[in-house]
Amino acid sequence: MTLLETLVPFPVVLPLAVAAVVLAAGERLPRHVPEALGIAAALAVAALSAVLAHGALGSTPVYWFGGWVPRPGVTLGIAFAPDPASAGIAAFTGLLFAAALVFAWGFFDEVRSVFNVLMLLFLAAMQGFCLTRDMFNLFVWFEVMSVVAYALTGFSLRTASLAGALNFTVINSLGSTLMLAGIGLVYARTGALDFEAVRTAVDRMGDDPVVIAGFCLVSAALLTKGAILPFQFWLADAHAVAPSPVSVIFSGIMVPIGLFGYAKIRLQIFPGSPDAMDILYRLVLGIGCATAVFGGLLAWSQRHLKRLLAFSTISHVGIMLTGVAAVAPVGLAGFLAYVVGHGLVKGTLFMLVGILLAEKASVDELDLRGLGRDIWPAGVATAVAALLLGGAPVGILHGGAHLIDAAAPPGPAGWVVRLAALLGTVLTGGAVLRFAGRIYLGLGADPGDEAHAPTDQEREKAGRPLWLMLAPCVVLLAIDLLTPAGVVEGLAARVVPQFGVVGPAVDLPQPAAWGLLMPWLALGGVLLVATLALSGDRLPRQLPRVQASVLTPFFAGLNRLHTGVVNDYVVWFAVGIALFAGWAAL
Amino acid sequence: MSVLPWVVAAWLFGAGVYGIVTSRNYVHLIGCLTVCQSAVYVLLLGLGYVQGSGPPIFYDHPPGTAAVDPVVQALVLTDIVVGAVVSALLLALAVQVHKRQGTLDPQEIKPLQGQ
């Protein structure tokens, strides 16, 4: 066994071991030692996974646990197989956790080590999820990840966070149940759980209704975690009420990793089944577009900042899904880059809102109007993040968006996809720029009585040093901003063939008029909508009337769908499953 | 494999989802979620069943004796553990909500509202 292969299980083993030590030592450790250990472990995991990703370029190492290597025809063991893309995403996860833990320094003084133990468990589960190549093992990591996430959501034990955690848990465990059923169906037909063994069997069988049903069920579960319409209802409730450092992880990586899992099983297990590849293609592309627009509209209509960011995440996973669904492998390369870029920017934004919660004890846009002047560095960071989110043509996020754009199908369908991505980008970037202008510059009309937030009082641990909370924001933004888009595109294109197992080489798009125009169009749109929203009284008289008669009822209707009642969400979930089943059956 | 396990699994799952959708009490709702999980266990055990064969224990049987598939049983066993964790966590959350709000009705336990 080579050194590289020996290293494969350590991104999972290391955080688990550190978590066990912290838990065992408990309160005997000096103050801040559990936090320092957590940050060190997260950085070490990032480094380990990065080494794996680099070493795996060319040929993917495989590590069989307990030495259970497959014999001819029989695969009983469970393996980790870190291809460069998977290990790369795992490395990014470690980095994001390190940033979130630095941001959370001193946040949880009362509960001390428990928070750090949960975060390390969360990190280990995500590493396992990225690296495994066994369907049931994938499910187990998925479940560990989910259970930790449920606990972290309700962590503060406020009424709203308990309600959010309940909604999150019910919807997602229903999804996990379906995933297990799907895995059972695939196993029943193929007699294997190892990705490669299942793929060989699927290749032999071609289209088999039971295998397709299994694929649909597993997909539905992963798309629930990925917050895709109509499975997305849990997300806004959970993200809005979780502690800020947890929201960073949720939006930055936990939700996109659901789509990553979907891309992985689709490409590593089912490429031999034309139905699994094609039946869902149109459906998934369509719901990706719908999700991008829907999330954007809802993000625009929020005044609760964490809910606003949560809906913007829904919009962005919609854009990501169009990249995953695309037939051209360049879409997949775009997806991988987009996950990293989006995670960096969205993680930063949740930290910046966390700073408002700590310093100003509110997350209400109108309530906070003009109050952010004394913490202007946070305002600068928010504005930069808003422009990056709104499609500014620099950095990793732009590289991803550019490749996803190039993967749009030919003909009118392609323009629908492009328009949806443009709308989502403009609305989410515009919404963030709008609240940055209002809070840090005091722009916009005086809200008067409306300023009092309709939500309950919120506050997060105050008195933490501002520079310590800003440092991870600056680092993450700098990584996104300073990495040239061209380098990212080249790297993403290089790792995709190995990720897709049989995938052909990726053709990077030629500079086209649209590809060059799109970011500027998006940026212009962002500036336009933010200016319109903040210019208040100075608008021509017709605009407020349109606002009152058309837009307000429209947004109210969209928001009314999010009742917060779990019964309704399960109905939507069932509708989504029926949609998948109906589409696959036809 | 007969069609019966499929029917039972589908029936149980449908009944569980119906229960969740109509439930007005979180403890009841969590029970219904467990019913949905049980539906999957029935399905899995049905998939691994082999007509006329014994349990997958070869202690006093010669190797090669027909046995039901042990892999699905391992899957079910693992998921029972996970399911128990999820149920326990949900019930703990429900207890905490009840302490604060005095109700277990999902219609009255709402997180933040939009706008």
Side-chain angles (χ1 to χ4, degrees), chain A residues 139 143 157 177 187 559 567, chain B residues 20-21 40 69 82 100 115:
Chain A
F139 170 76
E143 278 291 68
L157 294 183
T177 308
Y187 174 76
N559 274 292
N567 309 117
Chain B
I20 295 176
V21 168
V40 177
D69 191 338
V82 177
R100 280 162 183 73
Q115 286 195 298

Side-chain angles (χ1 to χ4, degrees), chain A residues 85 329 332-334 336-337 403 487-497 506 508:
Chain A
L332 198 68
L336 293 170
L403 293 185
V487 173
V488 177
E489 290 179 22
L491 205 61
R494 189 168 164 205
V495 298
V496 162
V506 179
L508 283 179

Side-chain angles (χ1 to χ4, degrees), chain A residues 19-352:
Chain A
V21 168
V22 172
L23 196 61
E27 305 304 310
R28 270 163 300 188
L29 288 173
R31 196 180 134 90
H32 291 317
V33 166
E35 285 160 302
L37 277 176
I39 294 166
L43 284 174
V45 166
L48 267 173
S49 289
V51 168
L52 282 180
H54 183 259
L57 281 171
S59 82
T60 306
V62 181
Y63 178 91
W64 292 94
F65 284 92
W68 284 69
V69 291
R71 299 201 195 145
V74 192
T75 310
L76 284 178
I78 292 172
F80 272 8
D83 61 86
S86 305
I89 295 289
F92 168 65
T93 309
L95 177 73
L96 202 62
F97 266 85
L101 287 170
V102 170
F103 175 75
W105 188 271
F107 192 114
F108 294 102
D109 272 349
E110 303 84 50
V111 289
R112 306 284 303 273
S113 50
V114 180
F115 172 74
N116 286 286
V117 171
L118 281 175
M119 287 294 265
L120 286 170
L121 205 54
F122 205 8
L123 174 61
M126 285 192 185
Q127 300 292 318
F129 185 84
C130 287
L131 302 183
T132 188
R133 62 166 234 180
D134 180 278
M135 285 187 87
F136 188 67
N137 197 238
L138 185 86
F139 170 76
V140 172
W141 293 122
F142 184 75
E143 278 291 68
V144 174
M145 193 162 89
S146 303
V147 173
V148 181
Y150 307 151
L152 284 169
T153 309
F155 202 81
S156 68
L157 294 183
R158 284 184 300 110
T159 312
S161 48
L162 289 169
L166 277 169
N167 285 355
F168 178 24
T169 313
V170 171
I171 303 290
N172 276 269
S173 39
L174 208 54
S176 310
T177 308
L178 290 182
M179 185 171 180
L180 184 63
I183 291 171
L185 291 180
V186 172
Y187 174 76
R189 268 295 190 263
T190 59
L193 289 167
D194 180 67
F195 284 3
E196 197 171 307
V198 177
R199 185 176 67 245
T200 318
V202 171
D203 282 349
R204 206 173 46 238
M205 281 186 294
D207 281 332
D208 178 288
V210 178
V211 170
I212 302 294
F215 173 68
C216 286
L217 289 175
V218 177
S219 302
L222 290 165
L223 295 183
T224 304
K225 182 60 80 188
I228 293 298
L229 222 62
F231 305 119
Q232 91 295 359
F233 287 91
W234 62 270
L235 183 138
D237 291 347
H239 289 220
V241 298
S244 299
V246 177
S247 302
V248 170
I249 301 299
F250 279 9
S251 261
I253 189 70
M254 183 189 79
V255 171
I257 221 177
L259 294 191
F260 175 78
Y262 168 72
K264 193 163 186 170
I265 61 151
R266 182 164 168 267
L267 288 164
Q268 301 201 353
I269 300 182
F270 296 99
S273 159
D275 270 2
M277 294 298 272
D278 297 339
I279 286 182
L280 290 179
Y281 161 62
R282 276 170 226 279
L283 176 68
V284 169
L285 198 63
I287 57 178
C289 294
T291 309
V293 176
F294 179 83
L297 288 170
L298 274 159
W300 177 256
S301 70
Q302 304 302 314
R303 56 185 282 189
H304 185 285
L305 299 181
K306 276 174 125 184
R307 258 182 103 81
L308 186 156
L309 292 180
F311 281 117
S312 89
T313 299
I314 293 182
S315 177
H316 288 278
V317 286
I319 297 173
M320 288 179 205
L321 188 62
T322 63
V324 176
V327 178
V330 68
L332 198 68
F335 164 72
L336 293 170
Y338 203 97
V339 168
V340 175
H342 170 263
L344 292 168
V345 175
K346 193 57 67 63
T348 306
L349 278 168
F350 266 106
M351 288 189 229
L352 290 166

